[in-house]
Amino acid sequence: MKISFNWLKLYLDTEVSIQFICKILTDIGLLVENLKKIKNLNSFQEDYLIELNIPPNRIDVMSHYGIARDLNIALKSRGFKSKIKYLPSVSLFKKEINFKNLKCFIEKNKKCIRYSYTTLSNIKVLDSPNWLKNYLNNIGCISKNNILDIENFILYELGKPIRIYDLDKIKNFSLSLKESKKKFFFNKKFFSSKNDLILFNDKNPICIAGLLVNNNFIVEKLTKNIFIESADYSAEYIYKIAKKYNIKNEFSIRFERGLDPNLNIYALKRAALLIKKLSGGKISSKIVDFYPEKPEKNIDIFIRFNKINKIIGYNLNFLKIKEILILLKIKVLKENFNGLKIKIPFYRKDITREIDVIEEILRIYGYNNFNLKEKIYFSCKKRNFLLKKEKMIENMISNQLNSHGFYEILNSSLTEKKYSKYENNNFYEKIFIFNSKNKNFSFLRDNLLFGILEKISSNKNQFFEWGKKYFFYKKNILENKTLGIICANNSFFKFKGIIEQLIIRCGINVDNQKIYKNGIYFNYKKNIICNIGYIKNAILEEFEIFHNILYADINWDIILLLLKKEEKSFFKKKYHHLTLYRRDISLLIEKKISFEEIKKLSFYKENKILKKIHLLDEYNSKNFTFGKKSYTISFFFQKFKNHETIIEKTINKLKFIFIKKIKAIIR
């Protein structure tokens, strides 16, 4: 938000420099992003443009007067001389002439909290005076005429949006603000007005909830009579309608954050008196005010002194707390030894809880004004430590995959129903989302595969994703954290080796491996850690992919559970295979023989030095005898004195067993 320093001084009397004011504004949470010196038009007077970053919940400071009020509180609490000037009086507002009766029908609706209006007659539309042009131009607002400039002046002075229309164009002098289900056309655009609040002139729409205005009713040079409205709508409703019509302007920003309806009448009178002064017009109607349901009384909150000191970490003086509350216009209803019962002013809609009040006290007192003698130490709970450790493991695995040329991606948790035809699982059910915005994406994913396949391209075809799978199991909703890895144009055993490295890096043994028709899976104490295999051709055709794709599905929840259960450190672990002696054997065997059978034969009773075996490669060739395949297996033996001789005898024994038991041919 941009504010003019000269405009700010209309409401704030202080001798503090502009540089110090910028420092105070930043201290109280209104971050000053830029300070620029400017010159006013048709004047030698200099001004400063202050650009502020205002928090979304602080609607009370979205104006020059609001900032002056907050700044005055901060300066006074710090001991500086400062005085907030009262807003100009509107006591001179009164009806001066009679005009044709204007009938207005406002239907009771929760979307419209308050609607007020008045009219002026015999005005003259002219150029704005220099003082008004200067204030608006200095904050980047283009001057139009003396009537429409008042709209913007009130907006930036009070933070209250008002609208001014040409009353002569409202031919039948009958207005109605109501919900409509019709569709209408104005400003060269077509609008669907279902359940929108529309201000109508008979059947002609004038505006949509003060946001979209029909150009046919805008004030022009020949305008003689005007209609001024000051409305207050539900913040939730304005947010939705602004999204619906893609509106983002100064009016929508203020409406959707929730305004103070008590400001309606003053804003109307202030605007009417300014227009009368600048245009020579006459007030032709009293204030007409529709306020069917007044909001509840101001919020009462009880704040505890011990809670304040605990949150702040400093014993703040009781009198100082009370002084800050009084400056904030927060009334003290009752007080006792434990705390204060207070009433929040209606314009501070951001304060609803005890913690909000404590934050205000701390903000006004100043975050940098505490002289702490003792250092504050924060202890890390066990749960936070575990979460940090888990994140470190994930980062380590991600970096390792990056080094192999894999790209990390992130997909939505929603998936299309059509993918379910490729999954045959009777153990669980999919979770359906009833209020999904896109009907095609109405299921929570139970597989990361399809989301990753959508990212496959000719240039990049190696991806991984950290994500969760969701499903119903025995009437319970379960979440399973998974690492999905996809790879194209790579050999099965090279890909398998990369996955093995990842799991071993976590300190988990992957000795127990089982081969099935389309791939292989790793077990650890009856837990399936990982499943690796080729993706079916039917699925690849769905994504128009015409080459083999390998996919690994790693159950990350199981890995984390094993890490905690076994209490293994993946940083300090000394990998057992580094102290082992390795020998490889290639066998030509029948296709029906599995790796598990070879594993059982290898660990015969007399064999005490063999520690583990791995399937290094599987090879099929047309040159082999029908029904044959080749296995290359790695055997790991324990090292000790004179181990070479004993290992050689064991290797020969294994070859003999393979030839005799499974009729293998040693290659």
Side-chain angles (χ1 to χ4, degrees):
M1 179 180 171
K2 297 178 180 179
I3 63 169
S4 161
F5 182 57
N6 288 345
W7 195 345
L8 188 69
K9 288 193 293 184
L10 290 178
Y11 319 108
L12 183 68
D13 186 9
T14 182
E15 295 179 357
V16 175
S17 67
I18 178 64
Q19 288 75 17
F20 190 77
I21 280 177
C22 290
K23 181 181 180 300
I24 295 294
L25 285 170
T26 300
D27 284 349
I28 60 175
L30 309 178
L31 179 63
V32 176
E33 295 184 331
N34 191 24
L35 177 64
K36 184 180 178 182
K37 197 172 186 178
I38 53 177
K39 286 187 178 181
N40 290 327
L41 294 173
N42 305 318
S43 172
F44 295 103
Q45 188 181 9
E46 291 183 341
D47 194 3
Y48 287 93
L49 177 67
I50 307 171
E51 293 185 33
L52 297 174
N53 186 350
I54 295 175
N57 63 331
R58 293 299 309 277
I59 185 61
D60 59 297
V61 292
M62 292 285 287
S63 64
H64 282 77
Y65 182 76
I67 292 168
R69 179 174 53 199
D70 218 41
L71 194 54
N72 176 63
I73 295 168
L75 289 171
K76 277 191 171 181
S77 70
R78 287 162 171 77
F80 295 96
K81 288 185 179 180
S82 178
K83 184 180 179 181
I84 187 75
K85 298 178 183 178
Y86 291 107
L87 287 166
S89 172
V90 292
S91 59
L92 296 177
F93 179 91
K94 64 178 180 178
K95 182 179 177 182
E96 296 172 297
I97 60 171
N98 290 321
F99 195 70
K100 292 182 180 180
N101 290 330
L102 180 69
K103 296 179 181 179
C104 193
F105 305 97
I106 310 297
E107 294 184 1
K108 188 176 178 181
N109 194 308
K110 290 183 179 179
K111 295 176 183 177
C112 182
I113 298 170
R114 189 174 191 178
Y115 190 88
S116 313
Y117 73 87
T118 188
T119 61
L120 274 81
S121 301
N122 303 326
I123 65 161
K124 292 180 181 179
V125 180
L126 306 167
D127 283 343
S128 296
N130 287 337
W131 67 266
L132 182 54
K133 283 183 179 179
N134 287 334
Y135 284 144
L136 295 177
N137 287 332
N138 287 353
I139 61 171
C141 189
I142 299 172
S143 174
K144 296 177 182 178
N145 57 55
N146 59 340
I147 306 302
L148 294 180
D149 284 355
I150 296 300
E151 262 191 14
N152 290 322
F153 184 81
I154 297 298
L155 179 71
Y156 292 107
E157 179 188 51
L158 305 174
K160 179 66 181 177
I162 64 167
R163 285 292 188 185
I164 304 175
Y165 309 108
D166 190 329
L167 188 56
D168 294 326
K169 294 177 180 178
I170 304 174
K171 295 179 181 179
N172 296 322
F173 298 96
S174 177
L175 299 177
S176 62
L177 184 71
K178 60 182 180 181
E179 285 192 8
S180 173
K181 295 183 180 180
K182 297 180 181 179
K183 296 180 180 180
F184 55 88
F185 182 87
F186 69 70
N187 298 354
K188 299 181 180 180
K189 291 183 180 179
F190 193 76
F191 294 96
S192 173
S193 65
K194 187 177 181 181
N195 300 325
D196 293 345
L197 281 179
I198 314 293
L199 183 67
F200 282 101
N201 170 34
D202 281 347
K203 295 182 181 180
N204 298 319
I206 299 174
C207 75
I208 304 177
L211 298 182
L212 282 174
V213 179
N214 190 339
N215 291 337
N216 295 331
F217 294 89
I218 289 178
V219 174
E220 297 174 341
K221 286 184 179 181
L222 299 178
T223 298
K224 296 295 180 184
N225 305 298
I226 58 173
F227 174 91
I228 313 173
E229 73 165 20
S230 179
D232 192 39
Y233 302 99
S234 161
E236 183 181 356
Y237 165 67
I238 292 295
Y239 176 79
K240 289 180 180 178
I241 200 172
K243 282 277 188 182
K244 178 180 178 181
Y245 295 118
N246 194 25
I247 303 169
K248 191 71 174 180
N249 55 35
E250 295 294 338
F251 282 67
S252 66
I253 289 170
R254 286 163 176 79
F255 273 131
E256 68 187 27
R257 296 184 184 185
L259 296 169
D260 180 5
N262 295 326
L263 199 56
N264 277 29
I265 303 302
Y266 178 84
L268 267 182
K269 291 181 177 180
R270 171 81 166 137
L273 290 173
L274 281 171
I275 292 172
K276 177 187 172 183
K277 180 180 178 181
L278 299 181
S279 68
K282 301 290 183 181
I283 298 171
S284 55
S285 77
K286 296 180 179 179
I287 297 290
V288 181
D289 187 27
F290 293 88
Y291 201 4
E293 291 186 10
K294 293 186 178 181
E296 296 178 1
K297 295 180 179 180
N298 300 14
I299 299 173
D300 292 354
I301 299 173
F302 186 80
I303 57 170
R304 298 160 289 175
F305 297 134
N306 61 345
K307 182 72 172 179
I308 295 171
N309 295 331
K310 184 178 179 181
I311 295 294
I312 294 176
Y314 181 78
N315 291 326
L316 197 58
N317 190 299
F318 162 75
L319 295 175
K320 189 64 181 178
I321 293 173
K322 201 170 178 181
E323 178 193 334
I324 291 172
L325 294 176
I326 292 169
L327 288 171
L328 287 166
K329 304 297 181 185
I330 297 175
K331 292 183 180 180
V332 178
L333 302 177
K334 291 181 182 179
E335 59 180 274
N336 56 37
F337 181 77
N338 295 321
L340 303 169
K341 185 179 181 182
I342 56 176
K343 185 181 284 293
I344 309 300
F346 200 77
Y347 66 85
R348 289 304 304 270
K349 294 195 173 185
D350 58 309
I351 304 176
T352 57
R353 305 166 299 166
E354 182 185 19
I355 191 65
D356 297 330
V357 181
I358 297 171
E359 183 184 353
E360 279 298 292
I361 293 169
L362 182 57
R363 183 178 70 88
I364 298 301
Y365 185 80
Y367 296 103
N368 301 319
N369 292 337
F370 296 101
N371 296 318
L372 298 177
K373 295 180 181 179
E374 298 180 1
K375 293 182 179 179
I376 300 174
Y377 296 93
F378 296 93
S379 60
C380 182
K381 292 184 179 179
K382 184 178 179 181
R383 175 61 183 161
N384 292 335
F385 173 75
L386 291 174
L387 288 172
K388 186 177 179 181
K389 184 178 177 181
E390 290 171 10
K391 194 65 182 175
M392 289 172 67
I393 300 172
E394 289 181 22
N395 290 337
M396 179 187 69
I397 298 301
S398 296
N399 291 335
Q400 187 163 335
L401 284 168
N402 290 148
S403 69
H404 286 291
F406 289 85
Y407 296 88
E408 184 173 5
I409 59 172
L410 180 65
N411 288 310
S412 169
S413 296
L414 296 176
T415 188
E416 294 190 60
K417 184 181 179 181
K418 66 179 182 179
Y419 297 143
S420 60
K421 64 184 178 183
Y422 300 112
E423 300 171 341
N424 297 319
N425 199 317
N426 299 322
F427 295 104
Y428 59 81
E429 298 178 19
K430 282 181 170 289
I431 300 174
F432 177 72
I433 305 297
F434 287 98
N435 59 345
S436 177
K437 291 183 179 180
N438 189 331
K439 292 182 180 180
N440 293 328
F441 292 85
S442 53
F443 287 87
L444 284 174
R445 65 182 177 187
D446 57 355
N447 199 318
L448 271 62
L449 171 64
F450 303 110
I452 305 176
L453 279 174
E454 291 173 353
K455 301 295 185 293
I456 289 286
S457 67
S458 57
N459 297 325
K460 297 178 182 178
N461 48 28
Q462 293 190 159
F463 298 101
F464 69 95
E465 180 184 8
W466 298 94
K468 285 189 176 182
K469 300 188 290 190
Y470 307 87
F471 44 87
F472 275 120
Y473 181 71
K474 294 183 179 180
K475 298 182 180 181
N476 295 316
I477 296 176
L478 301 181
E479 297 181 14
N480 175 220
K481 188 161 187 178
T482 304
L483 172 59
I485 309 170
I486 209 164
C487 179
N489 303 325
N490 212 338
S491 70
F492 179 87
F493 284 95
K494 183 177 179 181
F495 183 62
K496 170 179 168 286
I498 293 171
I499 305 304
E500 281 183 348
Q501 286 177 8
L502 299 180
I503 298 173
I504 291 171
R505 187 79 184 274
C506 294
I508 295 173
N509 200 331
V510 288
D511 290 346
N512 194 0
Q513 303 176 11
K514 291 190 178 181
I515 298 175
Y516 61 95
K517 185 177 180 181
N518 294 321
I520 189 170
Y521 60 85
F522 301 157
N523 280 8
Y524 183 85
K525 296 183 179 180
K526 298 182 180 180
N527 294 305
I528 297 177
I529 299 173
C530 174
N531 197 340
I532 306 171
Y534 286 101
I535 300 171
K536 294 179 181 178
N537 290 331
I539 298 175
L540 295 178
E541 288 174 5
E542 177 76 38
F543 295 90
E544 298 182 357
I545 299 172
F546 304 104
H547 52 271
N548 288 335
I549 301 287
L550 286 161
Y551 178 65
D553 187 273
I554 301 175
N555 191 331
W556 196 250
D557 283 341
I558 293 292
I559 288 180
L560 293 177
L561 186 66
L562 292 173
L563 284 171
K564 293 174 187 176
K565 190 174 181 180
E566 300 295 330
E567 295 182 352
K568 293 181 178 180
S569 171
F570 56 94
F571 293 112
K572 299 179 180 179
K573 181 173 176 63
K574 293 181 180 179
Y575 299 118
H576 186 57
H577 70 270
L578 296 177
T579 61
L580 300 180
Y581 183 82
R582 173 181 163 180
R583 287 286 300 273
D584 296 341
I585 301 177
S586 292
L587 305 172
L588 187 65
I589 56 176
E590 294 185 6
K591 285 187 177 180
K592 64 180 181 179
I593 297 172
S594 68
F595 175 70
E596 288 298 313
E597 291 181 57
I598 297 173
K599 191 175 180 179
K600 287 179 182 178
L601 291 172
S602 301
F603 288 100
Y604 58 89
K605 289 183 180 179
E606 297 83 8
N607 191 355
K608 296 181 180 180
I609 62 170
L610 180 64
K611 295 302 176 183
K612 62 179 181 179
I613 68 172
H614 283 174
L615 180 59
L616 185 62
D617 190 18
E618 179 183 5
Y619 180 63
N620 291 284
S621 174
K622 294 179 182 179
N623 298 325
F624 292 159
T625 308
F626 179 76
K628 296 285 186 179
K629 64 181 178 181
S630 174
Y631 269 177
T632 300
I633 303 170
S634 296
F635 296 84
F636 294 89
F637 300 93
Q638 184 179 349
K639 286 185 179 181
F640 51 88
K641 288 184 178 181
N642 301 322
H643 64 278
E644 293 183 4
T645 305
I646 299 174
I647 289 173
E648 194 62 37
K649 289 181 180 179
T650 306
I651 288 291
N652 292 332
K653 177 76 173 177
L654 287 170
K655 289 179 180 179
F656 175 77
I657 292 172
F658 295 149
I659 293 169
K660 185 177 180 181
K661 297 289 184 181
I662 58 176
K663 298 179 180 180
I665 299 173
I666 309 299
R667 300 181 70 209

